[in-house]
């Protein structure tokens, strides 16, 4: 996915402003990379929270809620 690539680019940016000899400054500003990285982290936490609810609900109630398959499919498509 894109998240580890952005994290790697940010790490290289902090150390030497280059990514294996390529100047990152010309293509991706630091603030843009940092914002994108933070937003992806928040998205992953929110998706995991909803996915956990979709997984735990049938375990606790002993039956599958209506439209649960649709919720799982939407989360899969959002990823």
């Amino acid at each position: 996915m894109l998240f580890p690539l952005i994290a790697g680019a940010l790490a290289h940016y902090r150390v030497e402003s280059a990514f294996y000899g390529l100047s990152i400054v010309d293509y991706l500003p630091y603030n843009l990379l940092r914002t994108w990285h933070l937003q992806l982290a928040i998205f992953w936490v929110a998706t995991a929270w909803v996915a956990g609810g979709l997984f735990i609900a049938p375990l606790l109630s002993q039956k599958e809620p209506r439209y649960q398959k649709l919720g799982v499919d939407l989360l899969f498509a959002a990823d």
Side-chain angles (χ1 to χ4, degrees), residues 5-78:
L5 295 176
I6 292 174
L10 276 173
H12 282 276
Y13 201 119
R14 291 286 273 196
V15 173
E16 59 181 328
S17 298
F19 189 69
Y20 295 109
L22 300 172
S23 177
I24 306 173
V25 180
D26 299 335
Y27 304 106
L28 298 169
Y30 179 74
N31 288 337
L32 178 69
L33 282 177
R34 189 181 63 201
T35 302
W36 187 260
H37 184 70
L38 180 63
Q39 291 297 322
L40 282 176
I42 292 170
F43 173 73
W44 273 102
V45 169
T47 303
W49 183 271
V50 173
L54 286 172
F55 178 73
I56 292 174
L59 292 176
L60 296 177
S61 67
Q62 300 299 320
K63 66 177 185 166
E64 189 169 315
R66 182 181 291 177
Y67 303 117
Q68 183 170 4
K69 183 184 180 313
L70 176 65
V72 171
D73 290 340
L74 287 174
L75 279 176
F76 185 71

